[in-house]
Amino acid sequence: MSWQGKVLRVNLSAGTAEPEPLNLDWAGEFLGERGLATKYLWENMDPKADPMGPDNVLIFATGPLTGTMASTSGRYAVVTKGPLTGAIACSNSGGKFGAELKFAGYDLLIVEGRAASPVYLHIQDGDVRILPAEELWGQTVWYTEDWIKQRHQDPLTKVAGIGIAGERGVYYACVVNDLHRAAGRSGVGAVMGSKNLKAVAVRGSVGVTVKQPKKFLEVVRDTHKMLAESNGRKGLTKYGTNAMMDNMQNFGGLPTRNFREVQFEGYDKIDAKAMMKPNARGHTNLLTNKACFGCTIACGRIAHIDQEHFTIVNRKEYWHASGGLEYETAYAFGPVVGVSDIDALTFAGFLMNEHGMDPISFGVTLAAAMELFEDGVLTTEDTDGIPLTFGNAEALTVMAEKTGRQEGFGRILGLGSKRMCEKFGRPELFMGVKGQEFAGYDSRALQGMGLGYATSNRGACHLKHDMFTEDMEDQSGNGKAEPCKKSQDRVAFVDSTGLCLFTDGTWATEDYGRQLEAACGGDWPLERLLAIGERTWNLERSFNLKAGLTKADDTLPPRLLNDPAPSGTAKGKVCELDKMLPEYYAARGWNADGVPTPETLARLGLG
Amino acid sequence: MSWQGKVLRVNLSAGTAEPEPLNLDWAGEFLGERGLATKYLWENMDPKADPMGPDNVLIFATGPLTGTMASTSGRYAVVTKGPLTGAIACSNSGGKFGAELKFAGYDLLIVEGRAASPVYLHIQDGDVRILPAEELWGQTVWYTEDWIKQRHQDPLTKVAGIGIAGERGVYYACVVNDLHRAAGRSGVGAVMGSKNLKAVAVRGSVGVTVKQPKKFLEVVRDTHKMLAESNGRKGLTKYGTNAMMDNMQNFGGLPTRNFREVQFEGYDKIDAKAMMKPNARGHTNLLTNKACFGCTIACGRIAHIDQEHFTIVNRKEYWHASGGLEYETAYAFGPVVGVSDIDALTFAGFLMNEHGMDPISFGVTLAAAMELFEDGVLTTEDTDGIPLTFGNAEALTVMAEKTGRQEGFGRILGLGSKRMCEKFGRPELFMGVKGQEFAGYDSRALQGMGLGYATSNRGACHLKHDMFTEDMEDQSGNGKAEPCKKSQDRVAFVDSTGLCLFTDGTWATEDYGRQLEAACGGDWPLERLLAIGERTWNLERSFNLKAGLTKADDTLPPRLLNDPAPSGTAKGKVCELDKMLPEYYAARGWNADGVPTPETLARLGLG
């Protein structure tokens, strides 16, 4: 009930695709999606394996509430060993693909091995086929989705796939589903490409059943009402995530020009209000908002580029409507590279969807390249004649295209910031953790965010904890360890339900528990829910330790630790990680080297 | 019940879109779709109006069974005054658009006037908007459908629209819905273009109700079973309409090289079996078959061009899967122009869908141009350097593109064969009736078809009667008038139900009556059904007479009347129209000038 009780295991080396029963004991301990996939990954591969080799395992995982009537039930996670980081990767996504995978009868899809030549997977309930994809190799995400829908003559097929970036090993290539939703970070798309797997296409008609339908309906109605009435929800619906731009600008936590600054003079040309403001021709950037499966929020944006600005669109086959700017995209193509042309940002965002790349990692890598350029380390001879100066909109769009296609200097940018900066002898210019680039929050202004970045198991990430309230209230590192640990556990639990993290500001942890009880049966008290999160976090950590990561990887770039914020509310401050990290290890029940103690592991059933 | 009882009237000059009650008295007399739209056209415009002017009226009409559970219930008709013929045009189409229009709550959509600038109509149940389409003008049918789905973020929107051919007044431009279904003949797309109406997009959620649900379910189950078990149905499902190619070749009724011959040496390279045969690379032309809404036949083909043949595809953005060859397309791009390259035919077929043109009229016009070329009337100076020799596959694909875009010699081909042949002083080379080109049956081998062509109210058409059995059994003109008249009436009735004519070989007329009774209530005895057909036919005829057509328009080209068939089972025969036509007028109750007598009109309630 609510789980389908079935895993689809595909071995691309052997050319097999077989269902197997879901391990319900594991589901009881790790729930689903992020948690359960972590357990399956742990049990199915050696963490030391080459992330781009056939021994890496790629898991698409739904949660027990995915595809149910619960609000925001469209989530799925892609869990694997990440090539960008060498750590465990967990990228989750919305849209409709995850629910459709569930409808086809599967909780998890496990992909092992490597196909001898390009293939795509076509799943129609129990009918699973590994089909040739030669005609799709070298094609974009958008072309691929259209091709599959045409080939199978079914516009309702849901497709998750990779673009050219994933085929060609861009370290931050992502998996894109439903054209503009993505399992975005840590290079999960490069893993898919390394397996010669272009896409997974699913159509399901099995449906999902819940244990107590009447009770579930009541609980869902109640939690839906909470969301519908919440101010946070209303803001997300109207403005999308890019409402954050103004907050960070005012707070002084908006990373600008590769984190040299924390406020950006052009922010109001690219913020949520700018997207809604008619230009001289009376056209707005924003066309509409758009919801994922079962969502009552609809934070997604659909935007287009005004025709007057088509000069910045350097390819004639630009699509007329694409995913619009999220805050992270706006940050990564705006302040951190110094660009404020909203049409250039929108087009670059479209290129990310089309080529299948993480905009955060691309933008922050480009920012580091711009700093290398302005420092004279790079010249136009290296950069295909394009001056990589901060603020150059053409550099943004041209390099997005070159990186997506792995041409010219795009091959360097495709390495990610860490490898690129090391290659040019300036490792300190890499702005990120464990090889993964920062999201749009400066750790000098948001101390808890800094601790979260440093300890996130998939490398720098803003979505594995929630310290906004604490960070806004207190701009020191005092007392941040315990709440950071707790929010990491809570988020890890929410990420395992099949629901969206954007409900977390409205619902208490118990509200998820009520939905689980009605949907799955059994008892789901608060302690059990939080234990699932903590168990997941510690198993991710164990994977990383076994993969070779150490305490030394829980750190931040010297710029954030040593150079004071030049302006804003945190002017003069640095990130107090040295104070927070030992407290955090202690709060977690880890030793001074950041290794979980045997007692901690035993307490969580991981001993 | 079964009718929605509502008409949507849109006046593009005034910018208004208002619902009005359906005239149920008219519905009782003319049923729906073709019949009812003919009545509405008759009551709403002057038949003398310029077909390309604002006073022409364009009607999209569903039938009472459209959108119900009845088998093949996806049909709708486009009725207007045709610019190719100057006569009443009635083109019907399948796909999903018609059912969706019904689901939105409308039996008919009536479009009047002309918009000042390009617009499209967006219908979502009662929410109807006339929206600007400047961005779509000059774009293809396929681009337009995709654009609208993206703009409204709804992949389930159904779109019927025109391509560049319709915008630019190609006399045989069609209305294409669902990418590769079309209201194909007589230039209904040029009328839409003349109104500056690029597309009609519909999404409906009102649904359709039937009068006696239980009885309807029983009748539908029974008639469905009849279809499922019928050999005719099985052949159409497996081979599609192109199964006819072999029959006509063997019979000697396959018009070849502008009707100079009646058998084609290359037929087996382009017939239904050729579509299914793997080529040297192991690829077949045919990918799959595809059903329209509610269809148990699925005669539609989906095909693609093998990569090895991409040299004949003179545009890089060729779509990877498109509508495959129907018999009429295979005839019009094959025998009648002497081409037997299946990939060239498939690509030309795709161009018809993309640009929105009738393949029959285009192919037969090209055939006449080829005869003009071989006769020395045209030279490569006229034809943009392309030798228009019979059998030239490049001429086929290049001219299809040029005609669709109205470039170079394509502007001449866009006139249709009659206007073109008259322009070059060789009117006898036009192969058609009332300005409209013949379908793929030679009237010397199929005499009843010849009579049907000559008397069809929309100009030469193979779909307004059914004389196959009679023509196969007797290759003279003896006794063809009465059965031709009867089949015309029966077909006119079936065309008014909302169901597909391809059920007509399996179901008796009474079988449609059973479905109407359960769906609509009331009594539908055989006489009533046939009277609907005869009434419709006579009202169409009355429209044409009032528009200025006369008996002189009920004729065939001299080639079919004077030049004996050179081979085949009808070798040495000509079409005996002079014998059949007076008998036909008498059977219809028309005078010797082909005008319905007052008694006939009174008998049908048209007096």
Side-chain angles (χ1 to χ4, degrees):
Chain A
M1 283 298 186
S2 208
W3 292 285
Q4 299 288 29
K6 199 157 69 175
V7 173
L8 178 61
R9 187 180 293 267
V10 172
N11 189 305
L12 294 173
S13 299
T16 55
E18 297 294 338
E20 64 184 39
L22 179 74
N23 187 318
L24 287 171
D25 292 338
W26 295 354
E29 296 285 297
F30 291 92
L31 199 51
E33 220 192 338
R34 175 177 166 186
L36 190 55
T38 299
K39 174 65 173 172
Y40 266 90
L41 194 75
W42 174 260
E43 298 288 345
N44 278 273
M45 72 174 282
D46 179 355
K48 291 191 181 62
D50 175 2
M52 301 285 269
D55 294 336
N56 195 3
V57 171
L58 178 69
I59 302 180
F60 295 76
T62 70
L65 294 176
T66 302
T68 66
M69 283 181 66
S71 284
T72 78
S73 67
R75 307 303 296 190
Y76 76 101
V78 180
V79 175
T80 187
K81 182 174 178 179
L84 184 69
T85 57
I88 192 168
C90 170
S91 293
N92 90 27
S93 180
K96 297 176 178 172
F97 174 84
E100 198 76 22
L101 182 62
K102 188 92 177 268
F103 295 158
Y106 306 102
D107 299 298
L108 271 66
L109 163 65
I110 300 178
V111 182
E112 306 169 329
R114 169 187 283 163
S117 59
V119 296
Y120 70 104
L121 193 64
H122 188 263
I123 303 172
Q124 189 151 16
D125 296 338
D127 182 14
V128 182
R129 290 163 202 242
I130 301 169
L131 297 169
E134 275 92 356
E135 288 180 61
L136 293 174
W137 213 247
Q139 299 288 359
T140 67
V141 165
W142 283 42
Y143 180 95
T144 298
E145 175 161 330
D146 185 64
W147 187 96
I148 290 174
K149 287 178 172 176
Q150 285 289 330
R151 186 56 65 104
H152 295 274
Q153 287 294 300
D154 181 3
L156 296 179
T157 297
K158 308 302 182 297
V159 180
I162 59 170
I164 305 171
E167 296 174 11
R168 299 188 184 165
V170 170
Y171 280 103
Y172 45 84
C174 61
V175 174
V176 182
N177 60 281
D178 302 288
L179 300 180
H180 31 62
R181 299 296 106 192
R185 305 216 67 191
S186 312
V188 296
V191 175
M192 195 161 168
S194 76
K195 298 193 171 304
N196 262 322
L197 180 60
K198 182 68 178 176
V200 179
V202 190
R203 184 71 187 277
S205 66
V206 172
V208 178
T209 51
V210 295
K211 186 84 174 176
Q212 299 169 270
K214 188 149 174 286
K215 185 177 170 199
F216 188 64
L217 200 60
E218 280 164 20
V219 175
V220 162
R221 190 180 291 143
D222 189 46
T223 46
H224 174 274
K225 188 160 177 280
M226 291 171 72
L227 262 186
E229 292 172 356
S230 121
N231 286 329
R233 193 284 302 163
K234 287 174 190 166
L236 274 171
T237 304
K238 182 164 183 189
Y239 296 109
T241 56
N242 201 14
M244 187 60 82
M245 179 76 69
D246 292 16
N247 294 342
M248 283 304 113
Q249 170 70 13
N250 295 335
F251 199 61
L254 185 61
T256 300
R257 287 175 275 270
N258 204 34
F259 291 70
R260 290 196 311 212
E261 298 154 71
V262 293
Q263 289 178 308
F264 179 51
E265 65 286 356
Y267 80 99
D268 58 354
K269 294 182 182 157
I270 56 172
D271 63 5
K273 285 176 191 151
M275 292 168 71
M276 300 164 82
K277 196 171 148 190
N279 64 15
R281 275 164 49 94
H283 292 168
T284 58
N285 174 268
L286 184 69
L287 288 174
T288 181
N289 63 336
K290 177 161 185 172
C292 295
F293 178 89
C295 182
T296 32
I297 304 175
C299 70
R301 307 285 104 177
I302 300 294
H304 72 154
I305 297 174
D306 191 58
Q307 289 186 359
E308 271 194 354
H309 293 78
F310 258 67
T311 46
I312 59 136
V313 176
N314 52 341
R315 287 193 301 111
K316 64 171 186 174
E317 67 272 30
Y318 171 72
W319 298 73
H320 33 77
S322 59
L325 294 174
E326 305 290 331
Y327 171 61
E328 294 305 335
T329 319
Y331 140 75
F333 300 161
V336 87
V337 293
V339 177
S340 58
D341 178 331
I342 197 169
D343 289 306
L345 267 69
T346 305
F347 181 55
F350 164 70
L351 290 174
M352 296 297 123
N353 288 337
E354 207 196 31
H355 292 313
M357 290 192 290
D358 172 14
I360 302 178
S361 285
F362 169 75
V364 178
T365 301
L366 180 62
M370 285 174 164
E371 186 159 3
L372 288 168
F373 188 90
E374 295 207 342
D375 284 358
V377 179
L378 293 173
T379 69
T380 50
E381 281 192 27
D382 303 298
T383 61
D384 310 329
I386 311 282
L388 293 194
T389 44
F390 283 112
N392 183 351
E394 194 196 1
L396 170 67
T397 60
V398 170
M399 287 301 160
E401 179 80 340
K402 280 175 179 279
T403 305
R405 297 189 182 276
Q406 284 295 278
E407 294 166 357
F409 190 69
R411 296 182 69 87
I412 302 300
L413 291 170
L415 296 171
S417 181
K418 181 168 190 281
R419 287 176 173 86
M420 179 186 70
C421 291
E422 285 169 355
K423 180 182 171 72
F424 293 107
R426 298 286 299 278
E428 77 281 6
L429 296 188
F430 160 57
M431 291 296 131
V433 176
K434 298 184 176 71
Q436 177 159 291
E437 294 74 9
F438 287 123
Y441 308 93
D442 195 289
S443 307
R444 292 165 291 193
L446 298 104
Q447 299 278 339
M449 178 68 80
L451 178 61
Y453 279 149
T455 57
S456 164
N457 291 313
R458 73 161 176 179
C461 177
H462 62 299
L463 289 171
K464 301 297 187 220
H465 58 269
D466 178 2
M467 291 290 286
F468 279 105
T469 310
E470 291 82 353
D471 280 345
M472 292 283 173
E473 284 173 358
D474 176 4
Q475 283 187 293
S476 82
N478 296 336
K480 294 287 166 77
E482 182 74 25
C484 181
K485 180 258 179 201
K486 283 187 173 164
S487 79
Q488 287 175 336
D489 293 346
R490 192 178 74 249
V491 166
F493 156 69
V494 175
D495 278 350
S496 302
T497 57
L499 305 183
C500 179
L501 197 53
F502 285 2
T503 57
D504 187 43
T506 303
W507 292 343
T509 308
E510 292 88 341
D511 291 316
Y512 301 93
R514 291 196 284 152
Q515 297 181 70
L516 286 172
E517 273 182 11
C520 306
D523 294 320
W524 299 88
L526 184 60
E527 334 50 278
R528 183 178 178 188
L529 309 182
L530 296 177
I532 287 168
E534 189 176 8
R535 190 176 295 122
T536 297
W537 192 274
N538 278 273
L539 191 57
E540 290 175 339
R541 179 76 177 187
S542 299
F543 185 101
N544 284 352
L545 293 171
K546 213 164 158 187
L549 277 74
T550 68
K551 174 186 182 172
D553 295 297
D554 301 338
T555 190
L556 295 172
R559 179 165 287 173
L560 304 182
L561 298 175
N562 305 328
D563 302 352
S567 69
T569 59
K571 186 173 177 179
K573 289 202 173 70
V574 297
C575 183
E576 302 171 10
L577 182 66
D578 55 344
K579 181 200 296 180
M580 297 184 284
L581 194 60
E583 292 175 16
Y584 173 84
Y585 286 171
R588 279 240 162 263
W590 295 353
N591 70 19
D593 287 328
V595 178
T597 62
E599 295 72 27
T600 298
L601 292 177
R603 175 170 59 81
L604 297 167
L606 297 172
Chain B
M1 281 297 187
S2 209
W3 291 287
Q4 300 288 28
K6 199 157 68 175
V7 173
L8 178 61
R9 187 180 294 267
V10 173
N11 189 306
L12 293 174
S13 300
T16 56
E18 296 295 337
E20 64 184 40
L22 180 72
N23 187 319
L24 286 171
D25 291 338
W26 295 355
E29 296 285 297
F30 290 92
L31 199 53
E33 221 192 337
R34 176 177 166 186
L36 190 55
T38 299
K39 175 65 173 171
Y40 266 89
L41 195 73
W42 175 261
E43 299 287 347
N44 278 273
M45 72 174 282
D46 177 357
K48 291 191 182 63
D50 175 2
M52 301 287 268
D55 294 336
N56 196 2
V57 171
L58 180 69
I59 302 179
F60 295 75
T62 69
L65 295 175
T66 302
T68 67
M69 282 182 65
S71 285
T72 78
S73 67
R75 308 303 296 190
Y76 77 100
V78 179
V79 175
T80 188
K81 182 173 178 180
L84 185 67
T85 56
I88 191 167
C90 170
S91 294
N92 90 28
S93 180
K96 298 175 177 170
F97 174 83
E100 198 77 21
L101 182 61
K102 188 91 176 267
F103 295 158
Y106 306 102
D107 299 297
L108 272 66
L109 164 65
I110 299 177
V111 181
E112 307 168 330
R114 171 187 281 162
S117 59
V119 296
Y120 70 105
L121 193 64
H122 189 263
I123 303 171
Q124 190 151 17
D125 297 338
D127 182 13
V128 182
R129 290 164 202 240
I130 301 169
L131 297 169
E134 274 93 354
E135 288 181 62
L136 293 173
W137 212 247
Q139 299 289 0
T140 67
V141 165
W142 283 41
Y143 180 94
T144 298
E145 174 159 333
D146 185 63
W147 188 95
I148 290 174
K149 287 177 171 177
Q150 286 289 328
R151 186 56 65 105
H152 295 275
Q153 287 293 302
D154 181 4
L156 295 179
T157 296
K158 308 303 182 297
V159 180
I162 58 170
I164 305 171
E167 296 175 11
R168 300 188 183 166
V170 170
Y171 280 103
Y172 45 84
C174 62
V175 174
V176 182
N177 59 281
D178 302 287
L179 299 180
H180 33 63
R181 298 297 106 192
R185 304 216 68 193
S186 313
V188 297
V191 175
M192 196 161 167
S194 76
K195 298 193 172 304
N196 262 323
L197 179 60
K198 181 67 177 177
V200 179
V202 190
R203 185 69 187 281
S205 66
V206 173
V208 178
T209 52
V210 294
K211 185 84 174 175
Q212 299 169 271
K214 189 150 175 286
K215 185 176 168 200
F216 189 65
L217 199 60
E218 280 164 18
V219 176
V220 162
R221 191 180 288 141
D222 189 44
T223 46
H224 175 275
K225 188 160 178 279
M226 290 170 74
L227 264 185
E229 291 172 356
S230 124
N231 286 329
R233 193 282 305 163
K234 286 174 189 165
L236 274 172
T237 305
K238 182 164 182 188
Y239 296 109
T241 57
N242 201 13
M244 187 61 80
M245 178 77 68
D246 293 16
N247 295 341
M248 283 303 112
Q249 168 69 12
N250 295 335
F251 198 60
L254 185 61
T256 299
R257 287 174 277 267
N258 204 36
F259 290 68
R260 290 195 313 213
E261 298 153 72
V262 294
Q263 289 178 309
F264 179 50
E265 66 286 354
Y267 80 99
D268 59 353
K269 293 182 182 154
I270 56 172
D271 64 3
K273 285 176 190 148
M275 292 168 70
M276 299 163 81
K277 199 171 145 188
N279 63 15
R281 275 163 51 93
H283 292 170
T284 58
N285 174 269
L286 184 69
L287 289 174
T288 182
N289 64 337
K290 176 160 187 172
C292 297
F293 178 89
C295 184
T296 34
I297 305 173
C299 70
R301 308 284 104 177
I302 299 295
H304 72 153
I305 297 175
D306 192 58
Q307 289 187 359
E308 270 194 354
H309 293 78
F310 258 67
T311 47
I312 58 138
V313 177
N314 51 341
R315 286 196 298 112
K316 66 172 186 175
E317 68 273 28
Y318 172 71
W319 298 73
H320 33 77
S322 58
L325 293 174
E326 305 290 332
Y327 171 60
E328 295 303 335
T329 319
Y331 140 75
F333 300 161
V336 88
V337 293
V339 177
S340 58
D341 178 331
I342 197 169
D343 289 306
L345 268 68
T346 305
F347 181 55
F350 163 71
L351 290 175
M352 296 296 124
N353 288 336
E354 207 197 30
H355 293 313
M357 288 192 289
D358 172 15
I360 302 178
S361 285
F362 169 75
V364 178
T365 301
L366 180 63
M370 285 174 163
E371 188 158 2
L372 288 168
F373 187 90
E374 295 207 341
D375 285 358
V377 179
L378 292 173
T379 70
T380 50
E381 281 192 27
D382 303 299
T383 61
D384 311 331
I386 311 281
L388 293 194
T389 46
F390 283 111
N392 182 351
E394 194 196 359
L396 171 67
T397 58
V398 171
M399 287 301 161
E401 179 81 340
K402 280 175 178 281
T403 305
R405 295 188 184 276
Q406 284 294 277
E407 294 167 357
F409 190 69
R411 296 181 70 87
I412 303 299
L413 291 169
L415 296 171
S417 182
K418 181 168 188 283
R419 287 176 173 84
M420 179 186 71
C421 292
E422 285 169 354
K423 180 183 171 72
F424 292 108
R426 297 289 298 278
E428 76 282 6
L429 296 187
F430 160 56
M431 292 297 132
V433 176
K434 298 184 178 73
Q436 177 157 289
E437 294 75 11
F438 287 124
Y441 308 93
D442 194 290
S443 308
R444 292 164 293 193
L446 299 104
Q447 299 278 339
M449 179 69 80
L451 178 61
Y453 279 150
T455 57
S456 163
N457 291 313
R458 74 161 176 178
C461 177
H462 62 298
L463 289 171
K464 301 298 186 218
H465 59 268
D466 179 1
M467 292 289 288
F468 279 106
T469 310
E470 291 83 352
D471 281 345
M472 292 282 173
E473 284 173 359
D474 177 3
Q475 283 187 293
S476 81
N478 296 335
K480 295 287 166 79
E482 182 72 26
C484 180
K485 180 259 177 199
K486 283 188 173 162
S487 80
Q488 287 176 335
D489 293 346
R490 194 179 73 248
V491 167
F493 156 68
V494 175
D495 279 351
S496 303
T497 57
L499 304 183
C500 179
L501 196 53
F502 286 0
T503 56
D504 186 45
T506 302
W507 292 342
T509 309
E510 292 87 341
D511 291 317
Y512 301 93
R514 290 197 284 153
Q515 298 180 70
L516 286 172
E517 274 181 11
C520 306
D523 294 321
W524 298 88
L526 183 60
E527 329 59 271
R528 182 178 180 187
L529 309 181
L530 296 177
I532 287 167
E534 191 177 7
R535 189 175 296 122
T536 297
W537 192 274
N538 279 274
L539 191 58
E540 290 175 339
R541 179 76 176 186
S542 300
F543 185 101
N544 284 353
L545 293 171
K546 214 165 159 186
L549 276 75
T550 68
K551 174 187 183 173
D553 295 298
D554 299 340
T555 190
L556 296 171
R559 179 165 286 171
L560 304 181
L561 298 174
N562 305 328
D563 302 353
S567 71
T569 59
K571 186 175 176 181
K573 289 201 174 73
V574 296
C575 183
E576 303 170 11
L577 181 65
D578 54 344
K579 182 198 296 180
M580 296 185 284
L581 194 61
E583 293 175 16
Y584 172 84
Y585 284 171
R588 279 241 164 261
W590 295 354
N591 70 19
D593 287 329
V595 178
T597 62
E599 295 73 28
T600 299
L601 292 177
R603 176 170 58 80
L604 297 167
L606 298 172

